[in-house]
């Protein structure tokens, strides 16, 4: 199975694959890849590792003698997975592209501060900065076990790490740093 290790350290592993075209096939392919990558990383048999997921709850990686945090993200042409041996994890990927209604998107989902920062940046930099802000928010929400929702004023206290990806993509990895707080 082909996968690329994008990040490894402090009990965290992030991998990427070029997925098959269908979403269902991409999901199955990524689950197989994360089992194989974790097996190599932890020097285990991949048959001893399984992915547990249920709608409305974060997925988990079941390991011999324990459970690891797990997160998935897909965009056309790239799928990512992150494993955290010591707790929750979130990962998100987004293609950098110009989005016509970026202002409404930012205001509704990223909050007033990010919206102001995006409005103040040069038009040529906005697609990249929007993708960075979006993936940071999505990764943090996944790490906190929350679903995407309109901005509610809650800042999630996560450690965010940019993950190197192929050109035209941005990805963020989030691990819990502390409690959430309202801003």
């Amino acid at each position: 199975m082909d996968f690329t290790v994008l990040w490894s350290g402090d009990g965290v592993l992030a991998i990427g694959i070029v997925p098959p075209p269908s979403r269902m096939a991409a999901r199955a392919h990524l689950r197989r890849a994360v089992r194989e990558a974790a097996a190599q990383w932890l020097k285990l048999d991949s048959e001893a590792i399984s992915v547990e997921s249920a709608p409305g709850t974060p997925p988990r990686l079941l390991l011999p003698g324990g459970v690891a945090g797990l997160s998935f993200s897909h965009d056309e042409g790239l799928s990512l997975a992150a494993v955290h041996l010591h707790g929750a994890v979130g990962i998100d990927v987004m293609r950098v592209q110009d989005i016509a209604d970026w202002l409404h998107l930012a205001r509704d989902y990223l909050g007033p501060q990010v919206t102001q920062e995006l409005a103040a940046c040069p038009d040529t930099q906005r697609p990249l900065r929007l993708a960075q802000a979006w993936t940071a928010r999505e990764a943090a929400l996944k790490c906190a076990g929350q679903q995407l929702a309109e901005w509610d004023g809650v800042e999630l206290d996560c450690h965010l790490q940019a993950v190197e990806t192929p050109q035209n993509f941005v990805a963020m990895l989030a691990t819990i740093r502390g409690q959430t707080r309202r801003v």
Side-chain angles (χ1 to χ4, degrees):
M1 169 120 349
D2 290 332
F3 61 85
T4 302
V5 174
L6 303 172
W7 173 261
S8 179
D10 298 326
V12 178
L13 174 70
I15 66 163
I17 65 166
V18 176
S22 87
R23 180 106 167 146
M24 183 175 283
R27 291 176 55 138
H29 191 84
L30 186 58
R31 280 165 170 68
R32 283 192 307 275
V34 80
R35 286 179 54 229
E36 185 176 310
Q40 288 178 19
W41 182 45
L42 300 170
K43 297 175 181 32
L44 297 170
D45 180 353
S46 65
E47 296 300 317
I49 300 170
S50 62
V51 173
E52 178 184 81
S53 60
T57 62
R60 303 180 325 156
L61 193 66
L62 306 179
L63 303 165
V67 176
L70 180 61
S71 182
F72 298 113
S73 184
H74 304 274
D75 201 340
E76 186 178 338
L78 185 62
S79 292
L80 305 182
V83 175
H84 191 300
L85 296 177
H86 309 295
V89 66
I91 196 161
D92 196 57
V93 63
M94 181 178 178
R95 181 179 300 276
V96 176
Q97 59 189 327
D98 190 28
I99 297 175
D101 63 346
W102 69 266
L103 181 62
H104 294 102
L105 182 79
R107 185 181 56 227
D108 291 349
Y109 292 95
L110 301 175
Q113 181 179 341
V114 172
T115 302
Q116 289 173 354
E117 290 168 5
L118 289 170
C121 80
D123 292 347
T124 58
Q125 292 180 13
R126 192 170 296 117
L128 174 62
R129 296 225 181 134
L130 176 62
Q132 291 167 331
W134 184 269
T135 56
R137 182 68 178 168
E138 273 269 9
L141 285 167
K142 289 176 183 182
C143 186
Q146 298 181 24
Q147 295 183 0
L148 178 63
E150 289 189 1
W151 181 254
D152 60 4
V154 173
E155 184 178 311
L156 303 167
D157 191 15
C158 295
H159 172 74
L160 292 168
Q161 168 72 44
V163 176
E164 191 171 328
T165 57
Q167 188 176 10
N168 297 325
F169 287 97
V170 168
M172 285 289 184
L173 175 70
T175 53
I176 292 289
R177 182 180 8 231
Q179 302 296 320
T180 59
R181 62 185 173 89
R182 186 164 288 277
V183 292

